[in-house]
Amino acid sequence: MMDLPNPVLYAIPAFVVLIIAEMVYGRLTGRTLFEPKDTATSLAMGLGSQIAGLIFGGLVLALGFYIWEHYRLFDLGFHWWTFLLAFILDDLAYYAFHRASHRIRWFWAAHVIHHTSQHYNLSTALRQTWTGVPALTFIFSLPLFVLGFHPLLIAFISGINLIYQFWIHTEAITRMPRWFEAIFNTPSHHRVHHATNPRYLDANYAGALIIWDRMFGTFVPELDEEKCRYGTVKQLGTFNPLKVAFHEWVGIFSDVIRTKNWRHWLGYAFGPPGWSHDGSRMTSEQIKESWAAHQNRQTQPDQQVRQSPDKNPAKPVPAE
């Protein structure tokens, strides 16, 4: 069995150096913005995420070993092609997890932490959840163990994927070469994912490969004429790490205890974020539909003016 390290631990010094470099670059050019309290909150969330990983990570790895030992279909071993195949399939699993985390409130409660910053810089990449394991988000990786990928291999590959996603959290890079933008997740693609603009909601769930969004119809390009606005639809408005970490769990609990209808209970816990039994809130899908309808109302009068015939055309002036 190959001994694979945790690549994220080795990458942390590089993360710190690059964040400092981006701060300096932002001061010189104005192309990246940092807010001290916001950055401190992101760093605190990153530290807490590493502690949570130490506490809960062993349980997930133990479950992975159990499934791999008793239910695997194949023993794929450690080969160059298993690393490559694992990277592709783990990225697909990440896409499934990420998409579900924006469509199912239970998973969103763990994932929303990453979206609470109203700034978009490299420190935002470190704003990670503390409750991913209790929220059971690891279930999306379990099929990989059934296929026969070794749990240590998947843990290593997942770390590589997380490291890749660090550099795409920046406004310092506008676009990568076209071929790169077509295959890989990039700062431009991921800015869209973090944006709260109705046009950009629920898009670009990619980890490292943007091909999944292109295949499954969730890709939205960044437009030069519409700058991304970051954060959540309803901004959290606090730098308190505890509130950042647990506010959505508190929200779920508050909504559930206020209703006696089990269907409402399920909706508040497992429906899309923003769902309410009385329609007092809006899901991201409803926000997009409302925005699209507004856009249509704005464009239709112009189209009617251009398309409707002139009822009183000017009469030709007879020649003298």
Short mmCIF file of all heavy atoms in Angstrom, two decimals, residues 7 31 43 45 52 68 86 94 154 184 201 204 216 233 237 241 249 255 262-263 268 280 282 286 310:
data_model
loop_
_atom_site.label_atom_id
_atom_site.label_comp_id
_atom_site.label_asym_id
_atom_site.label_seq_id
_atom_site.Cartn_x
_atom_site.Cartn_y
_atom_site.Cartn_z
N PRO A 7 -1.83 16.44 1.17
CA PRO A 7 -1.19 17.51 0.40
C PRO A 7 -1.59 18.91 0.87
O PRO A 7 -0.83 19.86 0.68
CB PRO A 7 -1.67 17.25 -1.03
CG PRO A 7 -2.94 16.50 -0.89
CD PRO A 7 -2.77 15.66 0.35
N ARG A 31 -6.82 46.13 -8.02
CA ARG A 31 -7.62 45.11 -8.69
C ARG A 31 -8.13 44.03 -7.74
O ARG A 31 -8.98 43.23 -8.13
CB ARG A 31 -6.80 44.47 -9.82
CG ARG A 31 -6.56 45.40 -10.99
CD ARG A 31 -5.82 44.70 -12.11
NE ARG A 31 -6.53 43.51 -12.58
CZ ARG A 31 -6.08 42.72 -13.54
NH1 ARG A 31 -4.92 42.99 -14.13
NH2 ARG A 31 -6.76 41.67 -13.92
N LEU A 43 -9.67 33.30 7.67
CA LEU A 43 -8.56 32.53 8.24
C LEU A 43 -9.04 31.71 9.43
O LEU A 43 -8.64 30.55 9.61
CB LEU A 43 -7.43 33.47 8.65
CG LEU A 43 -6.75 34.23 7.52
CD1 LEU A 43 -5.70 35.19 8.07
CD2 LEU A 43 -6.11 33.27 6.52
N MET A 45 -12.07 30.56 9.89
CA MET A 45 -12.88 29.45 9.37
C MET A 45 -12.00 28.35 8.79
O MET A 45 -12.28 27.16 8.94
CB MET A 45 -13.85 29.96 8.30
CG MET A 45 -14.85 31.00 8.77
SD MET A 45 -15.74 30.58 10.27
CE MET A 45 -16.58 29.09 9.76
N ALA A 52 -11.71 20.54 12.58
CA ALA A 52 -12.84 19.64 12.37
C ALA A 52 -12.41 18.41 11.57
O ALA A 52 -12.88 17.29 11.82
CB ALA A 52 -13.97 20.37 11.65
N TRP A 68 -14.59 -0.27 1.22
CA TRP A 68 -13.59 -0.76 0.27
C TRP A 68 -13.25 -2.23 0.55
O TRP A 68 -13.09 -3.02 -0.39
CB TRP A 68 -12.34 0.11 0.36
CG TRP A 68 -11.25 -0.29 -0.59
CD1 TRP A 68 -11.16 -0.01 -1.93
CD2 TRP A 68 -10.07 -1.02 -0.26
NE1 TRP A 68 -10.01 -0.52 -2.46
CE2 TRP A 68 -9.31 -1.16 -1.45
CE3 TRP A 68 -9.58 -1.58 0.92
CZ2 TRP A 68 -8.09 -1.83 -1.49
CZ3 TRP A 68 -8.36 -2.24 0.88
CH2 TRP A 68 -7.64 -2.37 -0.31
N ALA A 86 -9.11 8.44 -10.90
CA ALA A 86 -9.64 8.89 -9.60
C ALA A 86 -9.83 10.40 -9.60
O ALA A 86 -10.81 10.91 -9.05
CB ALA A 86 -8.70 8.47 -8.48
N TYR A 94 -17.41 15.58 -6.75
CA TYR A 94 -17.43 16.93 -6.17
C TYR A 94 -18.52 17.77 -6.83
O TYR A 94 -19.22 18.52 -6.15
CB TYR A 94 -16.07 17.61 -6.33
CG TYR A 94 -16.06 19.00 -5.73
CD1 TYR A 94 -15.76 19.20 -4.39
CD2 TYR A 94 -16.38 20.12 -6.50
CE1 TYR A 94 -15.79 20.47 -3.82
CE2 TYR A 94 -16.41 21.39 -5.95
CZ TYR A 94 -16.11 21.55 -4.61
OH TYR A 94 -16.15 22.81 -4.07
N ILE A 154 -8.19 8.29 -2.62
CA ILE A 154 -9.25 9.30 -2.76
C ILE A 154 -8.99 10.48 -1.84
O ILE A 154 -9.21 11.65 -2.23
CB ILE A 154 -10.63 8.67 -2.47
CG1 ILE A 154 -10.95 7.62 -3.53
CG2 ILE A 154 -11.71 9.74 -2.44
CD1 ILE A 154 -10.95 8.13 -4.95
N PHE A 184 -11.08 23.63 -17.84
CA PHE A 184 -10.82 23.74 -16.40
C PHE A 184 -11.63 24.86 -15.76
O PHE A 184 -12.03 25.82 -16.41
CB PHE A 184 -9.33 23.98 -16.16
CG PHE A 184 -8.46 22.85 -16.60
CD1 PHE A 184 -7.76 22.91 -17.80
CD2 PHE A 184 -8.34 21.70 -15.82
CE1 PHE A 184 -6.95 21.86 -18.21
CE2 PHE A 184 -7.53 20.65 -16.22
CZ PHE A 184 -6.84 20.73 -17.41
N LEU A 201 -26.87 33.06 -10.48
CA LEU A 201 -27.19 32.15 -9.38
C LEU A 201 -27.20 30.69 -9.85
O LEU A 201 -27.61 30.37 -10.96
CB LEU A 201 -28.56 32.50 -8.78
CG LEU A 201 -28.64 33.78 -7.95
CD1 LEU A 201 -30.08 34.03 -7.52
CD2 LEU A 201 -27.72 33.70 -6.73
N ASN A 204 -22.02 26.99 -12.38
CA ASN A 204 -20.58 26.71 -12.31
C ASN A 204 -20.17 26.03 -11.00
O ASN A 204 -19.44 26.57 -10.20
CB ASN A 204 -19.79 28.00 -12.53
CG ASN A 204 -20.06 28.63 -13.87
OD1 ASN A 204 -20.89 28.15 -14.65
ND2 ASN A 204 -19.40 29.73 -14.17
N PHE A 216 -23.87 19.23 -18.12
CA PHE A 216 -25.15 19.12 -17.41
C PHE A 216 -25.95 20.42 -17.38
O PHE A 216 -26.92 20.54 -16.64
CB PHE A 216 -24.90 18.62 -15.99
CG PHE A 216 -24.25 17.26 -15.94
CD1 PHE A 216 -23.02 17.08 -15.32
CD2 PHE A 216 -24.88 16.16 -16.52
CE1 PHE A 216 -22.42 15.84 -15.28
CE2 PHE A 216 -24.29 14.91 -16.48
CZ PHE A 216 -23.06 14.74 -15.86
N VAL A 233 -27.51 35.80 -0.98
CA VAL A 233 -28.65 36.61 -1.39
C VAL A 233 -29.11 37.51 -0.24
O VAL A 233 -29.38 38.70 -0.43
CB VAL A 233 -29.81 35.70 -1.87
CG1 VAL A 233 -31.07 36.53 -2.09
CG2 VAL A 233 -29.41 34.98 -3.15
N GLY A 237 -23.90 39.67 7.35
CA GLY A 237 -23.67 40.89 8.09
C GLY A 237 -22.95 40.73 9.41
O GLY A 237 -23.22 41.47 10.36
N PRO A 241 -17.02 34.27 13.74
CA PRO A 241 -16.84 32.93 13.17
C PRO A 241 -17.90 31.93 13.61
O PRO A 241 -18.30 31.07 12.82
CB PRO A 241 -15.45 32.53 13.67
CG PRO A 241 -14.74 33.81 13.92
CD PRO A 241 -15.80 34.75 14.42
N TRP A 249 -27.69 26.38 10.32
CA TRP A 249 -28.21 25.30 11.16
C TRP A 249 -29.22 25.86 12.15
O TRP A 249 -30.27 25.24 12.40
CB TRP A 249 -27.08 24.59 11.89
CG TRP A 249 -26.15 23.83 11.01
CD1 TRP A 249 -24.84 24.10 10.76
CD2 TRP A 249 -26.46 22.65 10.26
NE1 TRP A 249 -24.31 23.17 9.89
CE2 TRP A 249 -25.29 22.27 9.56
CE3 TRP A 249 -27.62 21.89 10.09
CZ2 TRP A 249 -25.22 21.15 8.73
CZ3 TRP A 249 -27.57 20.77 9.26
CH2 TRP A 249 -26.39 20.41 8.59
N ASP A 255 -36.91 27.21 11.93
CA ASP A 255 -38.04 27.00 11.01
C ASP A 255 -38.78 25.71 11.35
O ASP A 255 -40.01 25.66 11.29
CB ASP A 255 -37.54 26.95 9.57
CG ASP A 255 -37.12 28.31 9.04
OD1 ASP A 255 -37.64 29.32 9.56
OD2 ASP A 255 -36.27 28.36 8.14
N TRP A 262 -45.49 17.92 9.03
CA TRP A 262 -44.26 17.19 8.70
C TRP A 262 -43.78 17.49 7.30
O TRP A 262 -42.58 17.45 7.02
CB TRP A 262 -44.47 15.69 8.91
CG TRP A 262 -45.42 15.03 7.94
CD1 TRP A 262 -46.76 14.88 8.08
CD2 TRP A 262 -45.08 14.45 6.67
NE1 TRP A 262 -47.30 14.25 6.99
CE2 TRP A 262 -46.29 13.96 6.11
CE3 TRP A 262 -43.90 14.30 5.97
CZ2 TRP A 262 -46.33 13.33 4.88
CZ3 TRP A 262 -43.94 13.66 4.73
CH2 TRP A 262 -45.14 13.20 4.20
N ARG A 263 -44.70 17.81 6.40
CA ARG A 263 -44.27 18.19 5.05
C ARG A 263 -43.50 19.51 5.08
O ARG A 263 -42.52 19.67 4.36
CB ARG A 263 -45.49 18.32 4.13
CG ARG A 263 -46.18 17.00 3.80
CD ARG A 263 -47.27 17.20 2.77
NE ARG A 263 -47.92 15.95 2.40
CZ ARG A 263 -48.95 15.42 3.06
NH1 ARG A 263 -49.45 16.07 4.12
NH2 ARG A 263 -49.48 14.28 2.68
N TYR A 268 -38.38 22.59 5.00
CA TYR A 268 -37.40 23.49 5.63
C TYR A 268 -36.04 22.83 5.81
O TYR A 268 -35.01 23.51 5.77
CB TYR A 268 -37.92 23.98 6.97
CG TYR A 268 -38.95 25.06 6.86
CD1 TYR A 268 -40.23 24.89 7.38
CD2 TYR A 268 -38.66 26.26 6.23
CE1 TYR A 268 -41.20 25.89 7.27
CE2 TYR A 268 -39.61 27.26 6.12
CZ TYR A 268 -40.87 27.07 6.63
OH TYR A 268 -41.81 28.08 6.51
N SER A 280 -43.28 33.19 1.67
CA SER A 280 -42.77 34.46 2.19
C SER A 280 -41.31 34.68 1.83
O SER A 280 -40.79 35.78 1.99
CB SER A 280 -42.93 34.52 3.71
OG SER A 280 -42.25 33.44 4.34
N MET A 282 -37.98 33.45 -1.09
CA MET A 282 -37.78 33.05 -2.47
C MET A 282 -36.55 32.16 -2.58
O MET A 282 -35.51 32.44 -1.98
CB MET A 282 -37.61 34.27 -3.38
CG MET A 282 -38.84 35.15 -3.47
SD MET A 282 -38.57 36.58 -4.57
CE MET A 282 -38.53 35.76 -6.17
N GLN A 286 -36.63 30.86 -8.00
CA GLN A 286 -37.69 31.86 -8.08
C GLN A 286 -37.12 33.26 -8.31
O GLN A 286 -37.70 34.06 -9.05
CB GLN A 286 -38.52 31.84 -6.79
CG GLN A 286 -39.36 30.58 -6.64
CD GLN A 286 -39.97 30.46 -5.25
OE1 GLN A 286 -39.41 30.94 -4.26
NE2 GLN A 286 -41.12 29.81 -5.17
N ASP A 310 -46.35 51.33 -38.68
CA ASP A 310 -46.79 52.70 -38.40
C ASP A 310 -48.23 52.86 -38.89
O ASP A 310 -48.53 52.68 -40.07
CB ASP A 310 -45.87 53.67 -39.14
CG ASP A 310 -46.07 55.10 -38.65
OD1 ASP A 310 -47.10 55.36 -38.00
OD2 ASP A 310 -45.17 55.92 -38.92
#
